[in-house]
Amino acid sequence: MVPQWHLGPVTIPVHGLFVALGVFAAMLVFVAEARRRGAVNEQSVVAVAGALVGGAIGMRLSGWARHLDFSANPSLAQAWEFGSRSILGGLLGAYLGVLIAKRLGGYRGKTGDLFAPAVALGMAVGRIGCHLTEAPGRPTTLPWGVHAPATTPECPGCLAGQAMHPSFLYEIAFQLAAFAVLLYLRNRITRPGELFVIYIAAYAVFRFLVEFTRANETVWLDLTRPQWFLLPSLLIIGVRLWYGYRRGYYRASARNEEAPV
């Protein structure tokens, strides 16, 4: 059963509410950053539309290719209706949506730096819904372990009353820290697109590590599906960061080091 809040006759799905609030927060940050950079134009609006559409499709269809045996996977229609709503699927869909929207609109400028802090804050807000409605993580004896209601879906530890890692709180803390760091770096790293690269690299590493505390099913070699998805991504991102470092993309000039945040 999907956790819900009731406001008089109105029923509000908790997870959906915080996802919507996260999207709204991300939109506010994106618009504010676009205005600060003087980048509020038709192209940026097209990019946002592409991100929203692509992200929605990616989240909806993220549960489609769950198994190597494709006969065990749901149909596209079933995945659309009962998809796992994966954040990784949403991010990948949003990225592809921006690329397609920019290609269709004939826009070649970089928009990733506008999205990086927006996505970080939006993810932090959206993960509150995950923390309130989903299985927190794997059992732990650490003093900050949390207990979730026995009615939490797909959570054997909840039924047993075990203390579990608050994995979503770990991610909220990471995303808020990333948001602050990105705001600090935005005037110091001026190479277009590199702020987004840094955020994606940091999140990929964090997500791979935090998966060891999450309640996701392990499929092979004690790694989860997101970890297997991230392994080749980490390799590609590592090469990209090395390339940017060798090209001097991350060396702030003396003028930029003194720039206000």
Side-chain angles (χ1 to χ4, degrees):
M1 180 178 178
V2 178
Q4 298 173 333
W5 286 340
H6 299 278
L7 185 61
V10 179
T11 299
I12 304 172
V14 178
H15 188 273
L17 170 64
F18 281 97
V19 168
L21 290 175
V23 171
F24 181 69
M27 289 286 290
L28 289 179
V29 174
F30 180 90
V31 171
E33 190 65 6
R35 288 170 62 90
R36 191 186 72 87
R37 293 172 179 256
V40 179
N41 49 42
E42 291 182 3
Q43 288 82 7
S44 63
V45 172
V46 168
V48 169
L52 291 175
V53 173
I57 294 174
M59 288 186 72
R60 284 280 186 172
L61 299 183
S62 57
W64 173 59
R66 293 175 58 87
H67 307 283
L68 294 177
D69 178 6
F70 279 87
S71 64
N73 290 320
S75 66
L76 286 175
Q78 290 171 327
W80 179 263
E81 186 173 359
F82 306 109
S84 61
R85 310 297 194 271
S86 165
I87 291 293
L88 288 178
L91 285 176
L92 178 60
Y95 178 70
L96 294 176
V98 171
L99 293 182
I100 293 172
K102 287 167 64 176
R103 177 62 61 89
L104 292 176
Y107 181 56
R108 299 183 179 276
K110 300 282 189 179
T111 56
D113 292 343
L114 299 175
F115 279 105
V119 170
L121 184 61
M123 290 274 285
V125 175
R127 281 306 194 191
I128 298 173
C130 297
H131 176 67
L132 294 175
T133 61
E134 298 183 19
R138 300 180 187 182
T140 181
T141 58
L142 293 172
W144 56 79
V146 297
H147 295 81
T151 55
T152 303
E154 300 179 10
C155 182
C158 301
L159 289 172
Q162 294 176 300
M164 292 165 286
H165 281 284
S167 62
F168 295 116
L169 294 184
Y170 298 159
E171 180 156 356
I172 291 169
F174 167 82
Q175 297 292 355
L176 291 175
F179 177 66
V181 171
L182 290 168
L183 293 184
Y184 173 79
L185 292 176
R186 63 184 180 179
N187 288 323
R188 291 164 173 81
I189 296 178
T190 56
R191 176 79 181 187
E194 294 308 307
L195 206 62
F196 184 71
V197 171
I198 291 172
Y199 170 68
I200 291 297
Y203 181 61
V205 172
F206 167 81
R207 181 59 191 270
F208 184 87
L209 295 176
V210 83
E211 277 293 309
F212 289 111
T213 72
R214 292 191 61 177
N216 289 331
E217 175 190 8
T218 57
V219 292
W220 191 40
L221 299 180
D222 288 329
L223 298 180
T224 65
R225 290 184 180 88
Q227 286 175 314
W228 282 110
F229 172 83
L230 286 165
L231 276 176
S233 304
L234 286 169
L235 178 61
I236 295 171
I237 291 169
V239 172
R240 176 62 180 78
L241 283 175
W242 176 83
Y243 174 82
Y245 176 78
R246 295 281 295 179
R247 302 277 292 191
Y249 293 168
Y250 310 128
R251 298 191 193 118
S253 66
R255 178 177 60 83
N256 287 328
E257 286 175 355
E258 299 297 328
V261 177

